[in-house]
Amino acid sequence: MTQTTSTPATRPVHARGASGVLRVVLGPTNTGKTHLAVERMLGHSSGMIGLPLRLLAREIYDRVVAIKGVSSVALITGEEKIIPEHARYFICTVEAMPVDHTEGGDVAFLCVDEIQLCADPDRGHVFTDRLLRARGREETMFLGAATMRSVLEQMLPEAEFITRPRFSELTYTAPRKLSRLPRRSAVVAFSVPQVYAMAEMVRRQRGGAAVVLGALSPRTRNAQVDLYQNGDVDYLVATDAIGMGLNMDIDHVAFAATSKFDGETIRDLTAAEVGQIAGRAGRHMNSGTFGLIAEAEGTATMDQHMIEAVEQHRFKPVRTLNWRNADLDFSSPRALIRSLDAAPREVLFRRGREASDLAALRWIDRAGALRGLRLSQALTRRLWDACQIPDFRKVSPQDHARLCLGVFEFLTGGDEVLPEDWFDRQIKALDRVDGTIETLMQRIAYIRTWTYAANRPDWLADPGYWQGRTRAVEDRLSDALHDRLRQRFVDRRTAVLMRELRRKDTLMAVVHDEGKVMVEGQHIGRLEGFRFVPDETALTQDDKTLRHAADRALVHEIARRASQLAEADDSAFTLDLADAPTESRILWNGMAVARLQAGDSPLRPRAELLPAPLLTGEPQRRAEERLNRWLADYLRTKLAPLYRLETALDDPDCITGLARGLAYQLVENLGTLPRERVADEFRQVDKDGRRQMRSLGIWLGAASFYLRQILKPEAARLRLLLWAVHGDARNLPTPPTPGLITIPT
């Protein structure tokens, strides 16, 4: 924007509103200052409001359009201009306010928001310029923090001061871990890597977070804010960009750090800065809280004095304002630099940091790029216009200065506009939506540069066409960036479940035949028998809220399965024999549901359900009873000779004498004994005893004393399992070596 002239004094030069009312409305966040200003503006025949953020300007523009209609409202920012022919209300960023009466600068009402930014070392000189020169014919209003009262009373003795109290309380709470943050919390960090790290932790623990960075385009920031506002996620992770004008339903602000890099050095936050950010907590009459992240890196602390200052909204007053001379000398580039370097003559003013426009102009002069050229006032103004291209790209000061110089050379060349083929190449190179989050953010920064150029009315032959082109590219890149952020920092399944849980207080679960578990249409894991195994990409171990919600949704399904098992036919069950007894399982319809545990004897093992926290009470009891009935029947079938021998021992007439003692030993050893242990005793068994043993299938072989029918591989393996379970062995015993047992024919 072309700078206009003003003397470096405290009295306003642009004083067409000198006979009008001048009001200063001060107070902390959540006092309704901006809402009041919009209402006052709409009560006048025309008006203009200057806002600190392009995003906030768009929000207010949409609100005013809804009331007054699109033909009555203009939007003016550095990168976007919507100016209907008969516009009466102008919504602007402060830097883009047309205070020189062009594009509607002469209005009945004028307002500048966040006037405390006069003290900002980077942007302060612009706000101070508006404070000095911007006036409405009938009413002028400045909005800001109470820290500005003293200095503004000195500068504007004729002003009416209005103090507005905060609608709700703001209270400090003790540090909390990320996993313990309440819903509707904003986590504030002061570097992009820390924002990403915090957002990743929130995604793992709480399902996801929206991300707001100063470098995001307004469209991407709006989409991320909508994620939060619509309840798709309950957490927001942001830089201090949220501290200025973003209105969201935040209940708690958690600081991941209390220091920041301010462009020159790392320093602690001031109480006023903490208050500005923390003040986002609480909306209208709802109170808010603020505190620290317990596991944040570094030494994030907040002393009692700062806490009290924030809670009571009492901060150190602003003593001086940043200022830059607006009475510019365009006779030559060096004269222009000298006028920009002029020192303030008022004690209330100080020089801020060198802005990117002056840095670019100074580099161009020092580099000798204009050596030998005598620039007229018009060309020097043209050079200054080019130097005021915002440094969105943040590559290096030298690179930005070269860009400004290149634009100036085009604007002062043959057609005195940017060549369309060159401009088209710049845009086409950026019209790609592939790449990482960082790549997309960089492309957005570059396209914002060309969007700014397209919105200069005299830099292109057909600015309307190029405004549409650049806006379309920025929109595509912004949408792609939003998608990348959502993919990286939002687990959509978890977010859907959280939203449905809040809405209905219960969730509907569906379990497919193969065990896949769907809750409200989202795949969250599988049922292995009666045990829910979460999908690690859907539910994490730390996500207690969602795990409990999934449990509540599954408990009825698991109870239903247990009832089905209790009524199942024997054909539904099998015993899966593994090399390790602890891995042997009873399967129901192919699903592992129980394991064997030692009973009163090796032949009396118990079926115990595998750990299933959601299966309790009567369904659990009935399922275990059914499994034990099946197990008993199964063993009696597979090891029938052994159980028949055990039953025979209960009849004193079935087997007698020494044969009876040998039979007891055989049952106790599950059907086999080494021959040498019983050979002497066997020789003493009489003829009746041997006949009784043969009738029960007992034989004495070359190496073993055994029951003939249980030497088959399946029976042998089952007996080994029963022996290992009863003895609590980790591994099955080694089976006999083939060929050492003689089986008589």
Side-chain angles (χ1 to χ4, degrees):
M1 189 189 76
T2 304
Q3 293 288 324
T4 54
T5 60
S6 171
T7 60
T10 57
R11 293 181 58 81
V13 171
H14 174 43
R16 291 176 62 98
S19 60
V21 176
L22 176 59
R23 291 189 173 95
V24 178
V25 183
L26 303 177
T29 55
N30 191 28
T31 56
K33 297 188 296 293
T34 307
H35 180 75
L36 170 66
V38 172
E39 285 190 332
R40 293 294 305 162
M41 179 179 71
L42 298 183
H44 288 273
S45 60
S46 63
M48 179 188 302
I49 184 168
L51 298 155
L53 297 174
R54 179 184 173 196
L55 178 63
L56 184 57
R58 186 76 203 204
E59 179 185 319
I60 299 299
Y61 169 78
D62 291 339
R63 188 191 308 175
V64 177
V65 164
I67 298 171
K68 293 294 186 179
V70 69
S71 63
S72 298
V73 189
L75 175 67
I76 305 176
T77 71
E79 302 148 68
E80 189 172 17
K81 290 187 180 181
I82 303 172
I83 308 177
E85 183 178 357
H86 301 294
R88 295 187 295 127
Y89 302 100
F90 297 80
I91 317 302
C92 317
T93 52
V94 172
E95 282 83 351
M97 291 177 74
V99 293
D100 55 357
H101 296 286
T102 63
E103 299 172 328
D106 186 11
V107 290
F109 173 90
L110 186 141
C111 174
V112 179
D113 197 7
E114 306 290 2
I115 198 64
Q116 74 274 7
L117 288 177
C118 286
D120 182 81
D122 295 308
R123 305 172 65 194
H125 68 279
V126 178
F127 282 77
T128 300
D129 179 76
R130 304 300 180 259
L131 179 66
L132 291 173
R133 303 194 301 115
R135 296 291 185 273
R137 291 192 312 272
E138 300 168 7
E139 183 178 0
T140 301
M141 185 176 284
F142 295 115
L143 315 177
T147 55
M148 290 288 289
R149 186 177 186 107
S150 175
V151 69
L152 291 183
E153 284 177 337
Q154 296 179 63
M155 293 182 63
L156 309 172
E158 74 277 22
E160 173 190 349
F161 282 80
I162 302 170
T163 300
R164 290 176 67 92
R166 183 178 164 91
F167 289 139
S168 61
E169 292 184 355
L170 185 61
T171 308
Y172 176 77
T173 61
R176 305 184 190 186
K177 292 184 177 180
L178 273 177
S179 59
R180 297 299 180 90
L181 285 181
R183 288 183 53 241
R184 314 312 289 167
S185 288
V187 178
V188 179
F190 295 94
S191 70
V192 172
Q194 192 175 36
V195 167
Y196 288 169
M198 289 288 160
E200 183 63 32
M201 291 175 67
V202 173
R203 186 195 69 80
R204 291 199 307 268
Q205 297 179 3
R206 310 306 292 269
V211 172
V212 173
L213 305 167
L216 298 184
S217 67
R219 186 180 179 96
T220 304
R221 275 184 287 179
N222 278 339
Q224 287 290 304
V225 168
D226 285 345
L227 267 182
Y228 176 82
Q229 287 293 92
N230 295 339
D232 291 331
V233 296
D234 280 329
Y235 300 90
L236 177 75
V237 182
T239 61
D240 50 348
I242 68 165
M244 197 66 66
L246 289 183
N247 297 314
M248 291 169 287
D249 298 323
I250 297 172
D251 294 334
H252 180 73
V253 171
F255 289 84
T258 54
S259 60
K260 64 179 286 188
F261 180 71
D262 65 0
E264 292 183 348
T265 184
I266 296 176
R267 62 168 178 82
D268 291 337
L269 298 174
T270 67
E273 288 170 329
V274 172
Q276 183 73 32
I277 299 166
R280 293 299 122 191
R283 186 80 183 274
H284 196 54
M285 303 304 292
N286 298 323
S287 295
T289 58
F290 68 100
L292 300 171
I293 297 295
E295 67 263 48
E297 294 182 6
T299 57
T301 58
M302 200 172 291
D303 63 39
Q304 190 59 36
H305 294 295
M306 177 176 285
I307 292 170
E308 291 175 358
V310 174
E311 289 181 335
Q312 299 169 19
H313 317 297
R314 292 204 307 260
F315 307 113
K316 291 181 179 179
V318 172
R319 300 297 185 188
T320 57
L321 310 183
N322 281 291
W323 174 89
R324 187 171 76 178
N325 184 26
D327 186 12
L328 302 183
D329 182 353
F330 290 101
S331 60
S332 71
R334 290 194 175 178
L336 176 58
I337 292 172
R338 284 194 298 272
S339 64
L340 287 164
D341 281 338
R345 296 195 297 268
E346 300 286 339
V347 295
L348 293 178
F349 297 150
R350 67 171 182 267
R351 291 287 306 276
R353 291 195 192 118
E354 184 170 274
S356 63
D357 51 7
L358 176 54
L361 178 62
R362 200 185 303 279
W363 183 90
I364 291 170
D365 179 63
R366 288 175 177 171
L370 305 176
R371 188 176 294 119
L373 296 178
R374 291 185 59 83
L375 299 186
S376 65
Q377 284 200 16
L379 289 180
T380 303
R381 287 180 180 272
R382 199 69 155 165
L383 175 62
W384 183 231
D385 286 347
C387 289
Q388 289 186 295
I389 297 173
D391 187 12
F392 297 119
R393 303 177 306 156
K394 305 296 183 186
V395 178
S396 72
Q398 296 79 11
D399 187 73
H400 179 66
R402 291 188 187 96
L403 170 68
C404 297
L405 177 61
V407 168
F408 169 71
E409 289 173 343
F410 280 131
L411 295 178
T412 54
D415 295 329
E416 296 187 344
V417 292
L418 299 177
E420 292 197 347
D421 58 343
W422 175 83
F423 202 72
D424 181 63
R425 287 196 301 273
Q426 311 309 310
I427 296 172
K428 282 182 177 178
L430 302 171
D431 195 4
R432 296 171 50 190
V433 296
D434 59 312
T436 64
I437 290 173
E438 291 73 17
T439 300
L440 290 170
M441 288 176 65
Q442 185 180 46
R443 289 188 192 132
I444 288 173
Y446 276 65
I447 197 64
R448 288 179 71 186
T449 301
W450 306 124
T451 300
Y452 176 90
N455 277 278
R456 297 291 303 195
D458 56 348
W459 283 16
L460 288 157
D462 186 0
Y465 167 77
W466 294 108
Q467 288 165 17
R469 279 280 305 277
T470 55
R471 186 162 52 248
V473 173
E474 182 176 332
D475 287 350
R476 281 192 290 274
L477 290 170
S478 297
D479 292 343
L481 177 57
H482 171 62
D483 287 340
R484 296 288 198 288
L485 290 169
R486 187 172 55 186
Q487 290 167 14
R488 180 168 172 181
F489 298 120
V490 178
D491 189 312
R492 186 163 181 78
R493 288 172 297 188
T494 305
V496 168
L497 294 180
M498 291 291 287
R499 186 175 63 247
E500 291 300 311
L501 179 62
R502 291 193 300 273
R503 187 169 66 90
K504 301 191 300 187
D505 201 35
T506 186
L507 300 175
M508 180 180 295
V510 176
V511 182
H512 295 280
D513 292 340
E514 68 275 17
K516 184 166 66 174
V517 178
M518 308 290 289
V519 176
E520 296 293 342
Q522 304 296 315
H523 174 250
I524 65 166
R526 64 188 186 281
L527 268 184
E528 294 183 352
F530 300 113
R531 187 169 65 95
F532 173 56
V533 180
D535 181 348
E536 291 183 357
T537 65
L539 297 177
T540 68
Q541 294 295 324
D542 294 327
D543 196 345
K544 296 178 181 178
T545 302
L546 273 182
R547 287 183 61 81
H548 291 165
D551 288 351
R552 290 200 300 272
L554 290 170
V555 66
H556 298 297
E557 168 62 21
I558 290 173
R560 187 186 67 82
R561 283 191 169 200
S563 297
Q564 287 182 333
L565 182 147
E567 303 297 331
D569 295 331
D570 285 352
S571 60
F573 302 99
T574 55
L575 181 61
D576 180 31
L577 301 177
D579 290 335
T582 55
E583 296 176 3
S584 295
R585 299 288 187 261
I586 297 176
L587 308 182
W588 170 54
N589 292 331
M591 296 180 293
V593 293
R595 60 191 174 194
L596 271 57
Q597 290 283 46
D600 297 335
S601 70
L603 289 176
R604 299 290 186 274
R606 294 182 298 105
E608 180 185 75
L609 285 167
L610 294 174
L614 301 183
L615 181 57
T616 59
E618 184 65 13
Q620 179 188 30
R621 185 190 64 78
R622 291 184 61 213
E624 284 196 336
E625 285 183 352
R626 179 66 184 97
L627 288 166
N628 277 294
R629 289 199 306 273
W630 172 82
L631 179 60
D633 292 344
Y634 174 81
L635 294 177
R636 286 184 177 278
T637 300
K638 295 297 183 181
L639 301 177
L642 194 55
Y643 283 90
R644 189 167 61 249
L645 178 59
E646 185 184 50
T647 301
L649 290 171
D650 293 335
D651 183 354
D653 297 327
C654 185
I655 185 168
T656 59
L658 290 175
R660 186 176 182 83
L662 288 170
Y664 267 118
Q665 293 183 61
L666 205 56
V667 169
E668 289 174 350
N669 287 275
L670 297 181
T672 59
L673 284 168
R675 178 187 174 98
E676 62 268 16
R677 282 179 53 182
V678 298
D680 291 342
E681 193 174 355
F682 184 81
R683 280 193 289 270
Q684 298 176 41
V685 176
D686 58 20
K687 186 181 294 184
D688 285 341
R690 294 191 181 200
R691 177 184 56 77
Q692 292 168 354
M693 286 192 292
R694 273 197 303 274
S695 68
L696 292 170
I698 300 173
W699 296 86
L700 182 67
S704 300
F705 181 61
Y706 59 93
L707 277 169
R708 183 181 180 188
Q709 299 300 318
I710 61 172
L711 294 184
K712 294 181 179 179
E714 183 181 6
R717 188 169 183 81
L718 181 56
R719 288 186 300 113
L720 292 173
L721 174 63
L722 295 180
W723 186 264
V725 167
H726 191 72
D728 195 23
R730 292 183 176 273
N731 298 300
L732 294 180
T734 304
T737 303
L740 295 183
I741 299 178
T742 302
I743 302 177
T745 59

